[in-house]
């Protein structure tokens, strides 16, 4: 069961990475380079945290955690594109606001 959970997490991670790359290409066309760099750093941090959380979940999967993870995965799969676009937009807005606040 543990191996199957790790395989599913890996498959989902690959799918999320592909969709994130597509969303990034769309956003990258209209975004300044400095904002893109900061977004990439934030994405790396989020990815590392998600990887650690996934590994922890695979190492110690209590039944309620597996059920909730399955529910979350199904909900995410159904709304993948809107979630990624919304996430990229929020990160971009936060970084733009920070850069403008520092200029003042």
């Amino acid at each position: 069961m543990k191996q199957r959970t790790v395989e599913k997490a890996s498959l989902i991670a690959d799918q999320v990475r592909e969709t994130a790359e597509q969303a990034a290409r769309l956003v990258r066309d209209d975004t300044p380079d400095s904002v893109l760099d900061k977004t990439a750093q934030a994405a790396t941090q989020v990815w590392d945290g998600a990887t650690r959380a996934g590994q922890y979940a695979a190492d110690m999967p209590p039944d309620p955690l597996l059920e909730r993870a399955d529910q979350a995965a199904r909900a995410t799969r159904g709304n993948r594109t809107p979630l990624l676009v919304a996430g990229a937009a929020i990160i971009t807005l936060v970084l733009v606001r920070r850069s403008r606040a520092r200029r003042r």
Side-chain angles (χ1 to χ4, degrees):
M1 178 151 184
K2 188 178 192 181
Q3 181 64 27
R4 190 172 69 202
T5 303
V6 171
E7 289 171 1
K8 282 185 180 181
S10 177
L11 178 63
I12 291 169
D14 290 342
Q15 291 171 345
V16 168
R17 184 180 304 123
E18 289 173 15
T19 306
E21 288 172 359
Q22 291 173 355
R25 276 186 234 114
L26 293 173
V27 172
R28 190 179 303 135
D29 293 339
D30 296 327
T31 307
D33 289 338
S34 62
V35 174
L36 290 174
D37 293 339
K38 291 179 182 180
T39 303
Q41 291 171 355
T44 300
Q45 290 175 350
V46 169
W47 180 257
D48 291 343
T51 301
R52 284 192 302 272
Q55 189 61 42
Y56 177 76
D59 290 343
M60 307 180 104
D63 290 335
L65 177 63
L66 288 176
E67 291 172 10
R68 288 186 183 214
D70 185 46
Q71 290 173 351
R74 276 190 258 127
T76 302
R77 277 188 222 116
N79 300 309
R80 187 178 303 151
T81 302
L83 287 172
L84 287 171
V85 170
I90 289 170
I91 290 172
T92 302
L93 289 174
V94 167
L95 293 174
V96 168
R97 288 186 70 184
R98 276 189 185 176
S99 68
R100 287 184 182 170
R102 290 182 183 164
R103 289 183 195 164
R104 292 181 188 176

